[in-house]
Every structure is written in structure tokens, then in C-alpha cells.
């Protein structure tokens, strides 16, 4: 056994079994000169540096789940806090305070017990050839010029999120309010009060009051719908007492380009929401695509009539979808990923074309493999005896790997109420058989790829991806030795890790007046009065810290007792 | 009795005894044609319009104390909320949240039950000749041009406060932070976190870190001292955990031009505070007058050496005193009040030279009359039998009026431990006498005017003035009929109202680490660990609403459990 192979063994042991390795060190110290040799070996294998870009759901979840102390972690983000974004619509109207839904990232990382460095800066360029990211302080220039620096990495975790998508609609950037960051929510809150104050001025004519108090929300997704509901409650529960003469002039309009609001939800929820909004006097315009946002009016094209309708507004909140950030687009260009909506990764969240770069959350999309593309190699791999026919035993040896590698198979089976894949094979045949050939195999699986779906751009997905990736990092060396992933159909051996698999825990949309619609996996739908509090408790249980939980609950209590604050701050 | 005099009598009755007047109306209705006549008389005597400028301590206290519903009240202020300013230093470091110390003025006025109108605007011009104020919306121009309007008034209450005084020191406006408004406190909070984040960046050299973390506070009054203490606590209790490598570089310097910090307090408190700051490592530089504030350094002239010393800073907080706002200066010019630090009023808070304009709080100063100026008329008025001599009975008839009109008499008596004014007269004489002549009277009172003092520019004074003035308005007609004030020495009869008299309830200065120094009337001094909570409860009991009280107490609870938040928001 040469020295170098001894080092390798020793240091592997050190990382896998720290308590053993300590005795190795102790032995080495006792044995004299070996000490220098061991610490030399430490220098030859320095700690790997993991750079994490972003402190949203994905980045924070990654940092929180890291347990392996053999990495140097450096987090870079323009925001030194994590924000519990599902409560952003509540912040817009002061139901919850902005500070209650955020948690300093330094506090979170300190709790992990690892050595995590944080820099408040934005990454403006990723240089994957030289394993470097370029960053710049996001603070104002007053502090003495823009601070720029670069960081080297061994592994890069990109979790920078996305930006609001304007679909290049003219005037949106200039005149509309977004609802993506905590600052956005605070800006909206100030603006709503400003509009009411302005409409109260004695010199403002009646017609102008009506214009000022016309609120238009673009996009009928959960965020837009929840904001409309919050605003309605704020106006009718709180502002109506303080600005009694103005309340009749308030108009809330929700523009949705599609056929229904909340179209990712069950039909029952959509209908309920649309009816509730109608009763509340919120004007929901379906099939209405915004073509221009002006300083004081907004134009949209009605699908049915084909006409462009223009209406005045005091404020437009834009909440239609997300797009890639410029830095991500730039990096995609470098990698040749053209015409993709986000950074493309494999099922292990590794950016395609890069060995040591991962991308999670809204800035990334997983490129799922079609089973039909690989059908031949799968068949060959499964056909161990190369007989050209797959028997049940051969098939059962690989079925788990197939389902892990191609999650659409599982979805297809569930959708068609089949318990296992063998049923799929046997069902497509008139008489039961024990062997199938490749043509038969192809045909049986031919419809499976139709079930391929992109993951939604939600906090749930991002958080699960962060935790998954941290788990991989935590067990990096162990899994190098004992790969746990599915069979490599195109290569030899197994993949190092299980592929990322998303577990959907349901989604819900608060509809105001303490009514919430919730959709759970397995077509369960819950709509009702009490469910707001049920779902608040879901929110709360998912909040990152006990501090945030307590603050949000106490904010709800404050609001319950004192109403929302309407000071212009 | 002519019709017109009947109207006058009737409507006076209406205002003084509303329930009587109702029966008058009922009688009139029953008697037929009289109805039209009565309502005509209503038009001839419309409700008086009171315009209040400002929603600080004075303005809010006035609105809150108004009970007489026979006025139309219109409040104009660029802030639609009242702020509990003594807690501003706590807001700078997140001990208390900004929203917890403010209360919408509409909520406050709604509780009064009166018809109060509010306009969020700033008054930029007072036209006392035409009884008009000119206002302008303080919102950004984006909302469609600057909104301007004028309001007519019958009575004007000016309570616009003051601005921070830079004493024309170069660079203060551009580079220093003030601590006067809620927004100032929030700005400071963001800046402190920004400095720590910036100093954490990997590219910032050690020397620069030290500069960034040099905090300089100018002014050793209660606000400056409390901010220094809060900042010290924030750094050492909270930030030290999140930025452990930076804490040794933090330096807090307090520059005071005078001989001592907290110089309006008792010597014992001053000494205690200076020693505590020394122990805490806060560098207190006495006799140090700032001559220039630069972007990155601050220069001050040391009184002892006469030299100008320059030191680097990351942030300067300027808290040296107050000056008149430009609109107030403009109005003072109109009135010919030149070279005064604030609007001059009489003891009834009426602006000198204006019958229907009152000024309260920091924007006003009461022009106290010297007793020596009036000594001859006082003597003549008191000398009822015009004998040229004042006997004890004659004197005792006017002594109450003298003391009310010239509060310095009372202060002089207390200071010299005399129980009553008669002692003053008898003391200055060798043998007791029952009569004094004018020369003797003059001599006895000659030192009294030395006790004349301007009221301090504090929240306590402003709040008492607001309540006092509202009380006068509430009883305006009653006191017109039955004047309650002191004898008019220069005219006939009595003044309509008692003069404003300030009751000092003591003042206190939190010194950090839950230590507070308090000075009560009568030379009582309390310094200690427990007193912070004692004084917090004083604060709390003076807060305007139960809502604010509850929020502040719950903020203290939050901080106690979770520490202060250090998110950069």
C-alpha cells in the first residue's frame, strides 16, 4: 500500500466516520512523524467550496438542510433575509407586517451550526469555465463606489429565482406594480393609502376620485386572486370606516387572459371563487389580454369581441407569471440553452452541460427524459440473457429503476388506476403472456410520455429541491462509494443519487373574508369559512423559524383586535 | 325686541344650551312660519371653521381633546398619522417597530365623535389677511401633477413642529441622518444593517471595514444619547452573533459641543450617563463642535485645544436641536416677527398680532411678559382706593391674578422657599408693615423676572398646549360670557381664559442595557436597572390608543424573546 493510497483511504474514512478518523489522528500523533504527513494530506485535499446564489425558498432550504461540515458554504444574495412569500398578498394590506414574514439568512445559517459565509450582493456573471462567479454589492453608490468581487467555487448552486414576466407589454415596467418581493408588497401598501388620501383632497373632483380608486389586477393566478381578495377586505373592513365618503367609488377589477381564474385549480374551486368575487363586487373579466398599461389607463383586448377596451386606473398590480432573470439568460446563452424558459437541468438538478453546477427553484427546469427515446436501451438492459424477449423476472428486476428514471410512468399508471407496471404490459394483450418482445414493449409504453409535466414554479417545489440537493451533498462521498440511484440504462452501474421527485402536498388560495379554497392531492377539495385558519396553520407550520411563526400569529391577533393599519408609511 | 336681536339671543342659547335650543326649534316648528325665519338665522351664523396644521403632539392632542361639536374641524398634515416620537430611538434599531408607534389621525379623530376632515397635504403659505391657508399634496407627482388647494378658516391652529437644526454646518443636509420623523428612524435602521453587510463583503479591506463601522452621533441631548445607547445594545446583543468578525471594528462616538451630555438633567444623571458610556466603550467627546460633515469624514473643533480634528465615519446621526420650518419663517416675516426662533404667541397661545390664529408646540414660543414692565399698572390696579399705598387686603385681592399672569413670580417664590407673595413683601422690610408704596413694591419684585424661562421644546409641552387650547375652544362662548382669566391690568375686566400653564411631570433618558435615568419635579432623581420598565410603563400610559399600547408592549415582548431583526428592509 503506497502512501498516496493510504491518504485516500484515511481521508475517506475521516469524512465518513469522523469518530474513527479521530482515533486515526490520535494514533498518528502517537506514532510521531506521521502527524506532518497527515496534515499535509489535509492540505492536498482542501474543503470543497459551495457557492449558493439566492436566499429564496430553494437557496434557504438548501442552506438549512446542509449538515455535512466538510464544505465551505458561501451564500450570495442581494437580500440578507429569507421571505415567506405566500404571505406577500397579506403584507400588501397590513394583515401581516413585512418584518414578520422575513428571517435574516445569517440567523438561519447560524442555526445550522456550519461555517456559512454570507455576502449581500448580486451575482451578475457566472463563468463556468473558470469556476468563478462575479458579484457586485447591491447597495447604493453613496457608500463609496460599487463594490465588486469574484468568488471561486467547487460547486455552484444557482437559486436566484425569476422575475415577473411582462410579456413585453408596453408600459408595464413603468406603470404597474409587481408582487414578487417584500419591497413590492410594501410599495403596494403605501400606494393604496396614498390613493385614498389623494382622493380625499378637497380639490379633487368626483370623476378623478373614481379614477384614483380604480384598482386593476392583471392575472387570475393565486397571487392576483389573493391580492384582490385582501384589497377588498381591507377596503370594506377597515378603510370604509376611515374614508366613508370614498367607499362607493372604489372599484376592483381582475383581468385574466384565460377562460377562468385559478385555472390550475379544480373546476369547483374556480367556480366558487368566481361567484364569490361576483358577490363581493370584484369585477372579473375573463378572456381579457392586456395590451398596454398607461400612466392613468390600461387597455386590454377582449377575446370574444376582439375589441380593445381602455379603462382608467389608479393602480395596476401585475401578477401574470414569471420569466428568466437577465443573468440567468446570459448564462443560458453561454451554455447554448436557447429558447428555454429557464436553466435546463437533469433529474439530479445538475445544469445540463456542467458537472458542478446545480440549479433549483424558479430559475431552473428539469429536462425529463422521454421513455420512448430510451426504449431500446431499456429493453436491452432489461433483457439480461439477450434473448430478444423480456420475461417477467427480467422485467421486475428493472421496473423500479424505470419508474424512478421516468416518473411519467408512475403518473400514467395512477391515472389509469393500475397498481403496477406489469398490469400495463399484460393489459395491452389479449391473452396473458410471460414474455414480450421490443415492439410489444414499445407499444405498451407508447402513451406514457403524454403524462410528462413540468413542475410548477412554486415555493413547495423550490423548498423540496433545496432539501433534496443538500441531502445529496451531505452524503456525497458515501454515495460515490455506494451509488443509490437507478440503473444507468445508457451506461454501466447506477446513478450516484436517487433522482429528485416532487411530492405535491396540495395548494390553496385564500379568497378573502376568511374563506379559503384548498386542493389536496387525490382530488380532494375544501372550500369554506373555517379553512382559512386551517390553512394559516399550514402556512405557519411551514414557516422557517419559531420567531416568524410567533410574529405572524401575533400579527393575525393584532389585526383581529385592532384592524389593519392605514398610516401612510 | 326686534327680530334680529331675537336671532342673536336664540342662537347664542342654541350654542350654549343645545337641549334648550332644541325645544326652541320645536316651539318654532309648532308655531308655523317661524321655521323659515329660524333656519335663516342658522345661515347667518354658520359653524365656525377651525383649520389645524399638523398631526404631531400638539395638533393631535388638540383634535383628541375637542368636544364641542359646533366647529367644523379640518386637519392638514403631510403625515396621515400621529407618531409617538419618544420611541423613535427604539425604532432605529428595531426594538420597537415603526408601525407600532403610529396611529392614523383619521382613527383618532373618528373616536372624538366630531366631524373632523383630514387632508394629507402640507401647508406652504398662511394668508392671515384673508383667513386662508394654501396647501399642496405631498405625494409624488406621478399621480398626475401636484394637487394644490386653499382652505378658508375662522380659527387657525398652527402645530407644524420644527425641523432639525443644522446651524448651517456644511455637509449636514447632504451626509447626515436626522432623527425627527418615523421615516428618519427607518432610514437609520436600514443604513446600520447596510453598513454591516457592506463591511462583510470579501473585497472590503480591513481599514475600510473600520471606517464603515464608525458611527458618529452629534448632540448629547436625550435623543442622541438614547440612540447611542440603543445602537450599542443592538450591536452587542444582536449583531455580535450574526457578524462576529466585525464587532471589534465597531466604534460609536458621541460629539457634544457643551461641557456635558444630557446637560438639561441633574448633575448626578449626567455623571452617571457619562460613566456608563465610558464603561460601554462609547467615546464621548465633550466640547467638540462639528464644523463640517463630509461623505466619509467629519471634522470638529475641540474647544480645549482649539484644533480641528477629522475622523472617518460610516454614518453620522445629527441630533443637536431644532429650528423653524421655512413656512413658519415666511409667516413670521409677514407678521414682522424678525429674529425670533419660533412664532411668538401670548400666554393664551394666540399668535401676536393675530386674533384668530394660535400656535402650539415646537413651532411656537410664548412671549412671557416681564412683571417689571407692568409694575406701575399692576400697582395702580391693585390700589383700589388710589391712596398711593397698597395695604394687605388690596394686595391679596390681586395676588392670584399676578401669579397667573406672571408665572415667574411663583417660580421665584418656590425657589426661595416662600409660601406666599406676602412673605416676599414683608421679607424685604426690616420691620413688619401693613402698607407699601410703589417704590417698595418695585424693589420687592425686582428679581422675579430673572426666573422667566422659555418652555422646553418637548412632547409634554406640546401635548399640554393642545389639550389646553381645545379646552378653550370647547368653552369659547361660555367664557365669553363669564371670563375666567386673570384681571386685565392694562384694560378692564378679566381675560377670557386662564393663561396656559405648563405642568412638568419630569423627564427621563434611557441609557441602554435597560438602564434609565429619570428626573422628577422637585429634584428627585432615579437611576437604575429596573427603571427602564418603570418608564416604559410611563411611556405606555401616555400613548394615544390602546392599540398602540398593545403593539409596543408586544414588540418589547417579541424583542425580549427573539432579539431585534437585522433584515435589510
Amino acid at each position: 500500500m503506497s502512501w498516496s493510497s493510504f491518504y485516500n483511504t484515511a481521508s475517506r474514512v475521516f469524512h465518513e466516520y469522523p469518530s474513527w478518523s479521530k482515533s486515526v489522528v490520535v494514533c498518528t500523533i502517537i506514532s510521531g512523524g506521521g502527524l506532518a504527513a497527515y496534515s499535509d494530506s489535509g492540505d492536498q485535499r482542501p474543503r470543497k467550496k459551495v457557492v449558493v446564489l439566492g436566499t429564496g425558498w430553494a437557496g434557504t432550504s438548501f442552506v438549512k438542510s446542509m449538515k455535512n461540515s466538510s464544505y465551505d458554504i458561501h451564500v450570495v444574495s442581494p437580500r440578507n433575509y429569507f421571505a415567506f412569500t405566500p404571505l406577500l398578498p397579506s403584507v400588501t394590506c397590513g394583515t401581516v407586517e413585512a418584518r414578520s414574514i422575513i428571517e435574516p439568512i445569517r440567523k438561519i445559517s447560524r442555526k445550522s451550526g456550519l461555517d456559512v459565509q454570507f455576502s449581500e450582493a448580486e451575482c451578475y456573471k457566472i463563468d463556468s469555465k473558470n469556476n468563478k462567479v462575479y458579484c457586485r454589492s447591491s447597495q447604493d453608490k453613496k457608500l463609496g463606489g460599487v463594490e465588486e468581487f469574484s468568488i471561486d467555487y467547487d460547486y455552484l448552486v444557482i437559486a436566484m429565482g425569476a422575475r415577473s414576466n411582462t410579456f413585453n407589454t408596453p408600459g408595464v415596467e413603468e406603470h404597474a406594480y409587481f408582487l414578487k418581493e417584500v419591497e413590492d408588497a410594501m410599495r403596494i401598501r403605501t400606494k393604496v393609502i396614498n390613493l385614498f388620501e389623494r382622493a380625499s383632497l378637497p380639490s379633487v373632483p368626483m370623476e378623478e376620485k373614481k379614477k384614483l380608486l380604480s384598482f386593476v389586477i392583471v392575472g387570475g393566478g393565486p397571487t392576483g386572486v389573493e391580492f384582490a381578495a385582501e384589497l377588498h377586505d381591507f377596503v370594506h373592513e377597515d378603510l370604509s370606516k376611515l374614508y366613508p365618503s370614498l367607499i362607493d367609488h372604489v372599484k376592483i377589477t381582475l383581468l385574466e387572459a384565460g377562460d377562468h381564474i385559478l385555472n390550475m385549480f379544480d373546476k369547483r374551486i374556480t367556480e366558487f371563487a368566481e361567484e364569490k368575487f361576483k358577490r363581493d363586487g370584484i369585477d372579473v373579466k375573463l378572456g381579457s389580454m392586456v395590451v398596454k398599461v398607461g400612466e392613468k389607463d390600461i387597455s386590454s383586448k377582449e377575446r370574444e369581441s376582439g375589441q380593445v377596451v381602455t379603462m382608467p386606473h389608479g393602480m395596476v398590480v401585475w401578477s401574470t407569471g414569471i420569466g428568466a432573470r437577465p443573468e440567468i439568460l446570459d448564462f443560458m446563452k453561454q451554455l447554448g440553452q436557447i429558447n428555454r424558459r429557464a436553466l435546463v437541468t437533469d433529474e439530479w438538478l445538475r445544469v445540463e452541460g456542467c458537472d458542478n453546477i446545480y440549479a433549483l427553484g424558479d430559475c431552473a427546469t428539469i429536462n425529463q427524459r422521454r421513455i420512448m427515446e430510451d426504449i431500446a436501451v431499456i429493453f436491452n438492459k432489461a433483457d439480461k440473457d439477450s434473448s430478444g424477449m423480456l420475461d417477467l423476472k427480467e422485467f421486475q428486476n428493472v421496473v423500479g429503476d424505470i419508474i424512478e428514471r421516468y416518473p411519467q410512468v408512475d403518473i400514467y399508471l395512477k391515472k389509469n388506476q393500475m397498481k403496477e407496471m406489469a398490469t400495463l404490459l399484460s393489459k395491452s394483450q389479449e391473452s396473458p403472456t410471460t414474455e414480450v418482445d421490443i415492439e410489444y414493449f414499445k407499444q405498451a409504453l407508447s402513451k406514457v410520455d403524454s403524462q410528462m409535466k413540468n413542475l410548477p414554479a412554486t415555493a413547495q417545489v423550490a423548498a423540496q429541491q433545496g432539501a433534496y440537493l443538500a441531502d445529496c451533498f451531505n452524503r456525497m462521498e458515501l454515495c460515490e462509494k455506494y451509488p443509490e440511484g437507478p440503473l444507468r440504462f445508457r451506461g454501466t452501474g447506477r446513478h450516484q443519487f436517487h433522482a429528485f421527485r416532487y411530492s405535491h402536498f396540495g395548494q390553496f388560495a385564500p379568497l378573502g373574508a376568511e374563506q379559503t379554497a384548498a386542493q389536496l392531492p387525490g382530488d380532494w377539495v375544501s372550500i369554506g369559512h373555517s379553512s382559512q385558519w386551517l390553512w394559516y396553520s399550514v402556512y405557519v407550520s411551514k414557516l422557517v423559524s419559531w420567531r416568524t411563526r410567533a410574529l405572524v400569529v401575533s400579527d393575525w391577533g393584532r389585526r383581529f383586535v385592532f384592524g389593519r393599519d392605514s398610516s401612510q408609511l
Side-chain angles (χ1 to χ4, degrees), chain A:
Chain A
M1 182 181 178
S2 74
W3 266 114
S4 81
S5 71
F6 169 76
Y7 291 154
N8 288 345
T9 314
S11 62
R12 216 175 313 136
V13 167
F14 182 85
H15 286 291
E16 278 154 29
Y17 312 98
S19 59
W20 289 22
S21 67
K22 268 177 211 155
S23 29
V24 172
V25 175
V26 171
C27 296
T28 327
I29 293 172
I30 294 171
S31 73
L35 173 63
Y38 185 79
S39 58
D40 273 349
S41 89
D43 286 342
Q44 278 168 25
R45 190 173 173 136
R47 292 151 64 89
K48 298 274 187 179
K49 182 143 192 184
V50 182
V51 171
V52 182
L53 303 178
T55 51
W57 282 95
T60 305
S61 162
F62 176 81
V63 170
K64 241 183 103 101
S65 308
M66 281 296 278
K67 292 191 170 49
N68 189 332
S69 62
S70 65
Y71 299 98
D72 280 332
I73 304 172
H74 193 150
V75 182
V76 179
S77 169
R79 301 182 324 195
N80 78 354
Y81 55 82
F82 163 76
F84 187 78
T85 47
L87 284 175
L88 277 186
S90 296
V91 172
T92 56
C93 298
T95 310
V96 166
E97 285 303 326
R99 288 206 176 261
S100 302
I101 67 162
I102 62 180
E103 179 82 7
I105 193 74
R106 290 173 188 277
K107 237 180 195 168
I108 296 171
S109 62
R110 198 167 63 103
K111 270 180 210 151
S112 74
L114 303 180
D115 191 24
V116 180
Q117 198 186 344
F118 174 78
S119 295
E120 193 188 78
E122 51 195 358
C123 164
Y124 65 92
K125 195 178 158 54
I126 298 164
D127 179 356
S128 60
K129 283 203 190 96
N130 298 304
N131 290 341
K132 236 185 219 320
V133 288
Y134 291 88
C135 309
R136 140 183 340 132
S137 163
S138 44
Q139 290 180 18
D140 58 3
K141 291 178 192 166
K142 258 201 167 176
L143 276 164
V146 176
E147 204 64 60
E148 296 199 352
F149 56 93
S150 66
I151 315 174
D152 297 314
Y153 63 81
D154 294 306
Y155 298 105
L156 179 64
V157 178
I158 306 177
M160 295 163 81
R163 57 170 187 80
S164 294
N165 200 343
T166 65
F167 303 102
N168 293 320
T169 312
V172 178
E173 289 283 358
E174 298 89 321
H175 305 300
Y177 284 71
F178 297 107
L179 186 41
K180 195 128 184 43
E181 311 283 340
V182 179
E183 283 94 341
D184 294 338
M186 293 166 77
R187 235 173 271 139
I188 289 176
R189 181 174 184 178
T190 306
K191 175 76 175 187
V192 171
I193 298 300
N194 274 352
L195 286 169
F196 272 86
E197 284 300 349
R198 190 169 186 98
S200 305
L201 293 181
S203 58
V204 173
M206 187 60 73
E207 204 44 45
E208 178 72 10
K209 284 185 206 292
K210 283 188 182 171
K211 285 181 189 171
L212 288 171
L213 299 178
S214 297
F215 298 91
V216 179
I217 296 131
V218 183
T223 306
V225 165
E226 191 179 345
F227 171 67
E230 278 278 349
L231 182 62
H232 174 268
D233 287 359
F234 186 34
V235 167
H236 290 272
E237 289 172 12
D238 299 281
L239 298 182
S240 58
K241 293 176 200 147
L242 304 183
Y243 307 84
S245 63
L246 294 180
I247 291 311
D248 291 341
H249 307 318
V250 176
K251 193 175 175 209
I252 303 176
T253 309
L254 181 64
L255 302 180
E256 163 61 43
D259 291 331
H260 288 288
I261 61 171
L262 297 178
N263 57 23
M264 69 291 290
F265 280 86
D266 189 276
K267 222 181 95 191
R268 287 165 286 177
I269 290 178
T270 298
E271 274 169 15
F272 177 83
E274 285 172 1
E275 261 165 45
K276 180 176 182 302
F277 275 18
K278 206 171 178 180
R279 278 199 310 277
D280 285 350
I282 298 174
D283 191 9
V284 178
K285 292 200 171 166
L286 301 169
S288 180
M289 211 180 74
V290 175
V291 292
K292 191 179 156 239
V293 179
E295 197 184 317
K296 292 179 156 195
D297 47 30
I298 178 167
S299 305
S300 58
K301 190 169 179 172
E302 308 291 316
R303 201 180 36 218
E304 272 187 24
S305 64
Q307 284 188 317
V308 173
V309 181
T310 298
M311 61 177 131
H313 73 80
M315 174 186 200
V316 170
V317 173
W318 190 267
S319 162
T320 56
I322 55 169
R325 287 184 185 277
E327 314 82 48
I328 297 289
L329 283 175
D330 176 69
F331 184 48
M332 285 163 69
K333 224 172 171 180
Q334 273 182 53
L335 298 176
Q337 295 186 359
I338 315 290
N339 291 329
R340 300 302 299 253
R341 67 166 188 84
L343 260 175
V344 178
T345 72
D346 62 18
E347 291 93 330
W348 292 270
L349 311 183
R350 201 155 32 188
V351 174
E352 282 195 353
C354 305
D355 262 359
N356 57 347
I357 304 184
Y358 300 83
L360 336 172
D362 289 0
C363 69
T365 181
I366 296 174
N367 195 12
Q368 263 179 40
R369 290 195 70 82
R370 301 183 162 273
I371 198 165
M372 293 315 282
E373 278 174 24
D374 295 344
I375 197 87
V377 288
I378 296 171
F379 189 88
N380 287 341
K381 193 83 167 191
D383 182 20
K384 271 203 168 171
D385 56 5
S386 304
S387 63
M389 298 293 278
L390 220 55
D391 63 28
L392 196 64
K393 205 182 150 212
E394 281 175 332
F395 177 70
Q396 265 162 351
N397 274 335
V398 295
V399 64
D401 296 303
I402 292 177
I403 288 183
E404 181 170 356
R405 194 74 180 77
Y406 307 94
Q408 59 264 46
V409 175
D410 205 27
I411 299 171
Y412 185 83
L413 293 177
K414 276 189 186 136
K415 195 138 193 178
N416 291 283
Q417 277 143 359
M418 299 180 208
K419 271 203 181 140
E420 47 181 37
M421 206 168 150
T423 329
L424 183 65
L425 293 186
S426 58
K427 269 223 172 154
S428 347
Q429 217 175 359
E430 282 95 43
S431 59
T433 181
T434 48
E435 286 193 331
V436 298
D437 65 4
I438 184 153
E439 284 313 314
Y440 181 86
F441 190 64
K442 256 188 202 168
Q443 204 215 316
L445 292 170
S446 60
K447 284 182 192 146
V448 165
D449 282 335
S450 66
Q451 293 304 319
M452 278 171 60
K453 265 195 267 188
N454 280 326
L455 294 177
T458 62
Q460 269 184 54
V461 170
Q464 288 181 26
Q465 290 183 333
Y468 163 84
L469 190 65
D471 188 49
C472 295
F473 272 83
N474 289 336
R475 299 176 303 117
M476 186 77 87
E477 305 221 344
L478 185 73
C479 291
E480 217 164 352
K481 225 167 163 179
Y482 310 108
E484 62 175 16
L487 218 55
R488 290 182 196 269
F489 291 112
R490 290 176 169 279
T492 56
R494 298 189 152 269
H495 288 278
Q496 190 172 356
F497 297 107
H498 286 300
F500 170 72
R501 186 69 80 84
Y502 169 58
S503 318
H504 186 60
F505 293 135
Q507 60 185 148
F508 69 108
L511 301 174
E514 311 212 337
Q515 297 214 320
T516 298
Q519 185 168 356
L520 301 173
D523 266 356
W524 280 34
V525 163
S526 147
I527 304 170
H529 234 281
S530 63
S531 60
Q532 173 96 334
W533 287 98
L534 177 69
W535 292 114
Y536 273 167
S537 72
V538 174
Y539 268 158
V540 166
S541 71
K542 282 169 60 197
L543 285 173
V544 277
S545 72
W546 280 104
R547 177 183 155 275
T548 318
R549 283 170 219 206
L551 296 193
V552 168
V553 168
S554 98
D555 278 347
W556 284 325
R558 287 173 171 201
R559 195 219 90 193
F560 188 74
V561 178
F562 301 111
R564 301 169 183 89
D565 181 37
S566 65
S567 306
Q568 163 251 47
L569 203 68

